[in-house]
Amino acid sequence: MTPDPDAVADCVLVTFDQLPEKRKPRPESDAAREWVPLAGIVLADKGEYLIPQALQGEDGTLSCVSLGTGMKCLPSNKLPRAHGNALHDWHAEVLAIRAFNRFLLDELLATLSPSHPPSAFLRLRSIEERTPSEPQPFALREDLQIHMYCSEAPCGDASMELTISLQEDATPWTSPIPTVSSAQSTPDDPVPSALRGRSHFSHLGLVRCKPSRPDAR
């Protein structure tokens, strides 16, 4: 049974509230308050396995296993100097997914330890289940559901429906799509790579860049 979306949101918010105040939005001197998007990954099951941070509800157990805050990205002119040592995209939803990947890796390492109890989220696949195309020894439990909470609609296709709903006239635009050229573009051979902002909102599946950040890719 799919949990109530509000319960998923509450699970992330409760987990965030339990974190230290460091790096959280702070009240300003004029009574205004800082804000930043928050995203988290929640695993839902039937309540057969519990971890200390899990929330027990009518729909089973909800466990927030990763979360992140952020809304920025590294300027494109800094990428050549990063050499893989700097994080390019630190939007909240990206950080939450990266943290979830780390969570799964930690679960795998712990599961391989003889003294560690069985994972609440992973299971060992039988030899019969493994094939040359899918040789992975571990898998998520089948009764597990993965949910994501975002306090703000992520950029790209995820926010297009909201953009359309706010238009007085949601008729698709018929003008040519202005795209951002890639680094390989030349005047004689332009190579479109992305669409700037949320214009031409009826077009989905396109990479979109920040409208106010010409240096962002």
Side-chain angles (χ1 to χ4, degrees), residues 35 39 52 56 59 77 98 111 124 128 167-168 195 208:
W35 70 274
Q56 188 73 33
D59 299 326
N77 62 355
R98 291 173 67 98
T111 301
L124 182 65
E128 291 74 18
Q167 306 302 311
E168 293 184 3
L195 183 62
R208 293 178 179 269

Side-chain angles (χ1 to χ4, degrees), residues 8-203:
V8 173
D10 288 342
C11 184
V12 176
L13 295 174
V14 167
T15 304
F16 179 75
D17 287 341
Q18 294 173 348
L19 298 176
E21 291 300 317
K22 184 179 181 181
R23 306 298 184 187
K24 286 185 178 180
R26 300 165 298 180
E28 301 287 358
S29 57
D30 59 356
R33 188 173 180 84
E34 295 179 337
W35 70 274
V36 66
L38 167 68
I41 301 294
V42 173
L43 299 182
D45 61 34
K46 298 177 181 178
E48 299 172 357
Y49 301 87
L50 296 176
I51 62 174
Q53 300 84 4
L55 298 181
Q56 188 73 33
E58 296 180 358
D59 299 326
T61 301
L62 299 178
S63 305
C64 179
V65 296
S66 73
L67 56 78
T69 61
M71 55 186 296
K72 296 183 180 296
C73 61
L74 196 67
S76 58
N77 62 355
K78 303 293 185 183
L79 292 181
R81 293 186 285 173
H83 300 295
N85 295 319
L87 190 60
H88 177 206
D89 189 337
W90 57 88
H91 284 75
E93 60 273 16
V94 174
L95 294 179
I97 293 174
R98 291 173 67 98
F100 180 50
N101 290 336
R102 173 60 186 266
F103 165 79
L104 293 177
L105 291 174
D106 287 344
E107 281 287 301
L108 289 173
L109 291 175
T111 301
L112 293 174
S113 173
S115 59
H116 194 274
S119 171
F121 309 105
L122 303 176
R123 67 172 182 83
L124 182 65
R125 300 176 71 205
S126 66
I127 298 298
E128 291 74 18
E129 291 180 274
R130 306 179 201 179
T131 64
S133 60
E134 296 182 356
Q136 295 83 0
F138 292 95
L140 289 171
R141 293 200 344 259
E142 281 74 10
D143 60 340
L144 207 61
Q145 296 180 7
I146 304 175
H147 300 275
M148 185 179 208
Y149 163 78
C150 297
S151 62
E152 298 284 334
C155 299
D157 288 2
S159 61
M160 288 302 99
E161 289 187 2
L162 293 176
T163 302
I164 293 173
S165 67
L166 295 175
Q167 306 302 311
E168 293 184 3
D169 181 3
T171 303
W173 296 5
T174 57
S175 58
I177 302 177
T179 57
V180 179
S181 297
S182 69
Q184 289 75 34
S185 293
T186 65
D188 297 329
D189 185 21
V191 180
S193 63
L195 183 62
R196 180 72 67 193
R198 293 188 172 92
S199 63
H200 292 80
F201 43 77
S202 62
H203 292 272

